[in-house]
Amino acid sequence: MSTPRGWAEMARLQTKGGRILVVEDEDAAREGLIRLLEGQGYEVRGAGSAEHADHWLSASSFDLALVDIGLPGMDGVEFLRWALRRNPTLAVIMTTGLDRTDVALECLKGGARGYLLKPIDPLFLMEAVRDALVLGRLLRSAPHGWEEEEATES
């Protein structure tokens, strides 16, 4: 039988070495997130715009993107749709300083695995990142078509 400690250990092992892309236009916020995530053992790259993030997504693969909604040019909501069309298994967590339920629902319905309000508590961020990475790895390892089978059985 699994215990919470067993789940925590599995989550730690499943997320070890995860690759994260931080898409944030505010330099200080981006650098702070990068330092925090690198300090937890993640491999992290940063982008100040959706266009710069496109460069990283073309050049490398990532397990998770942490995306600010208020990006210049292509905003974070547009970027979410674009990134998931390009890589449907990418876990995306949206961040914003605006507490708007309609935008949160749009992001979550659009495939985001999380929606965090700034300022972001570091412990809460680390739990959200861990959970999104674990879920992503579980979904990638699931048999193809399991979602449709589950939906027809209910």
Side-chain angles (χ1 to χ4, degrees):
M1 181 154 105
S2 179
T3 65
R5 184 175 178 103
W7 168 255
E9 181 65 13
M10 183 186 86
R12 185 185 66 73
L13 293 172
Q14 287 290 316
T15 60
K16 188 175 182 181
R19 294 181 45 97
I20 300 174
L21 177 62
V22 174
V23 188
E24 167 63 64
D25 61 316
E26 295 179 27
D27 294 340
R30 184 177 59 251
E31 292 305 316
L33 289 167
I34 290 171
R35 279 193 308 277
L36 175 65
L37 293 164
E38 285 178 338
Q40 296 298 312
Y42 297 108
E43 184 179 337
V44 187
R45 298 292 179 263
S49 67
E51 293 75 19
H52 188 204
D54 174 52
H55 162 77
W56 281 115
L57 291 173
S58 297
S60 196
S61 67
F62 291 88
D63 302 302
L64 182 138
L66 193 60
V67 180
D68 180 36
I69 289 177
L71 295 172
M74 179 191 296
D75 72 23
V77 178
E78 291 176 89
F79 180 79
L80 167 68
R81 290 187 199 107
W82 175 86
L84 290 179
R85 275 195 306 273
R86 184 177 196 163
N87 179 359
T89 65
L90 179 67
V92 180
I93 297 175
M94 306 302 291
T95 66
T96 184
L98 302 173
D99 188 3
R100 293 198 36 209
T101 304
D102 59 326
V103 176
L105 289 172
E106 181 180 1
C107 291
L108 294 170
K109 286 179 181 178
R113 303 251 175 88
Y115 184 91
L116 304 177
L117 290 175
K118 296 177 185 177
I120 303 168
D121 178 279
L123 293 175
F124 190 73
L125 172 65
M126 297 318 302
E127 286 191 19
V129 165
R130 182 204 64 205
D131 291 349
L133 289 171
V134 169
L135 178 59
R137 294 218 170 123
L138 288 171
L139 291 173
R140 283 192 297 277
S141 67
H144 180 67
W146 72 271
E147 302 94 343
E148 294 83 8
E149 291 173 18
E150 291 289 321
T152 58
E153 289 175 10
S154 341

